[in-house]
C-alpha cells in the first residue's frame, strides 16, 4: 500500500490511470474476439510444421499432446542445438534452444517427457502465434532444409 494523500479507492492513494485501464480493456476485448479461430489456426500451423519436420531422418518431435500449440519442441539427433540455431540465425531465422527457462546442458522438461538424454541435449523450439502465416512456415522450412543438409 502507498500511504498519504486522499484516495478514490480504499486500497491506495492517487487517481487511477483511467486511460490505461480503458486501453487495456479494449486490447483484451480485441484479443478475445477471434481467440477460437486464432487458436485453431495456430494448431493447424503447428501440425503442418511438425509433419514437415518429421520428413528428416534425425528430427524427433518432443512436444506431445499436452504441449501448447504455440510452441513446437524438437530435437535433431547428433547436432548441437546452438550450432543449428546459429546456422538459422545467419539466414535471418531466430528460434530457441531447449525449453523455456532451461538451464544447463539439457532440457529437464524434454528429459521428463522423452526419458532420453540425447533428445534433451539437442532440443530446439519454434514459437508460433496468431500472426504466424503459412508462408512464414514455408520460408522457415526452406531455410531449415538448407541448414539441415549443410550440417547433417
Amino acid at each position: 500500500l502507498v500511504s498519504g494523500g486522499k484516495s478514490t479507492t480504499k486500497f491506495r492513494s492517487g487517481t487511477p490511470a483511467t486511460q490505461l485501464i480503458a486501453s487495456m480493456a479494449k486490447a483484451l476485448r480485441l484479443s478475445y474476439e477471434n481467440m477460437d479461430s486464432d487458436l485453431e489456426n495456430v494448431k493447424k500451423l503447428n501440425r503442418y510444421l511438425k509433419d514437415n519436420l518429421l520428413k528428416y531422418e534425425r528430427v524427433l518431435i518432443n512436444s506431445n499432446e499436452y504441449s501448447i500449440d504455440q510452441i513446437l519442441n524438437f530435437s535433431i539427433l547428433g547436432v548441437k542445438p546452438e550450432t543449428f540455431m546459429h546456422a538459422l540465425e545467419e539466414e535471418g531465422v531466430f528460434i530457441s534452444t531447449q525449453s523455456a527457462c532451461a538451464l544447463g546442458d539439457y532440457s529437464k522438461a524434454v528429459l521428463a517427457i522423452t526419458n532420453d538424454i540425447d533428445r534433451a541435449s539437442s532440443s530446439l523450439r519454434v514459437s508460433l502465434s496468431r500472426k504466424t502465416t503459412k508462408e512464414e512456415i514455408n520460408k522457415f522450412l526452406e531455410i531449415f532444409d538448407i541448414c539441415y543438409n549443410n550440417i547433417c
Side-chain angles (χ1 to χ4, degrees):
L1 296 177
V2 178
S3 61
K6 299 240 178 202
S7 177
T8 57
T9 73
K10 64 181 183 173
F11 301 107
R12 70 175 282 159
S13 62
T15 304
T18 309
Q19 295 88 344
L20 295 176
I21 295 167
S23 297
M24 177 62 98
K26 177 70 174 183
L28 290 171
R29 268 195 307 279
L30 289 173
S31 66
Y32 189 74
E33 282 178 358
N34 300 314
M35 187 179 292
D36 291 339
S37 63
D38 288 343
L39 289 173
E40 187 58 36
N41 186 49
V42 169
K43 183 179 229 160
K44 287 177 185 175
L45 291 173
N46 183 298
R47 169 54 52 201
Y48 179 73
L49 178 58
K50 188 183 303 183
D51 290 345
N52 279 280
L53 289 175
L54 284 172
K55 296 174 184 175
Y56 296 90
E57 183 180 333
R58 293 186 181 191
V59 172
L60 297 171
I61 303 298
N62 299 319
S63 296
N64 62 23
E65 67 273 13
Y66 302 108
S67 301
I68 62 170
D69 294 315
Q70 289 84 353
I71 304 290
L72 181 63
N73 189 295
F74 62 96
S75 293
I76 305 173
L77 295 180
V79 176
K80 288 185 177 186
E82 292 80 10
T83 302
F84 204 85
M85 182 182 73
H86 293 308
L88 290 171
E89 285 174 0
E90 289 178 13
E91 299 298 325
V93 174
F94 299 91
I95 65 171
S96 299
T97 61
Q98 298 190 5
S99 53
C101 302
L103 294 172
D105 296 330
Y106 66 93
S107 168
K108 289 177 180 63
V110 173
L111 182 61
I113 291 171
T114 65
N115 201 28
D116 184 334
I117 193 68
D118 291 333
R119 287 172 78 166
S121 300
S122 61
S123 67
L124 296 156
R125 62 188 155 98
V126 174
S127 299
L128 306 170
S129 81
R130 65 182 184 86
K131 293 185 175 186
T132 304
T133 65
K134 191 170 183 180
E135 291 76 24
E136 290 171 326
I137 299 291
N138 285 332
K139 185 66 175 174
F140 168 79
L141 290 167
E142 177 185 318
I143 294 168
F144 180 93
D145 187 69
I146 293 166
C147 295
Y148 183 89
N149 289 320
N150 287 339
I151 294 172
C152 297

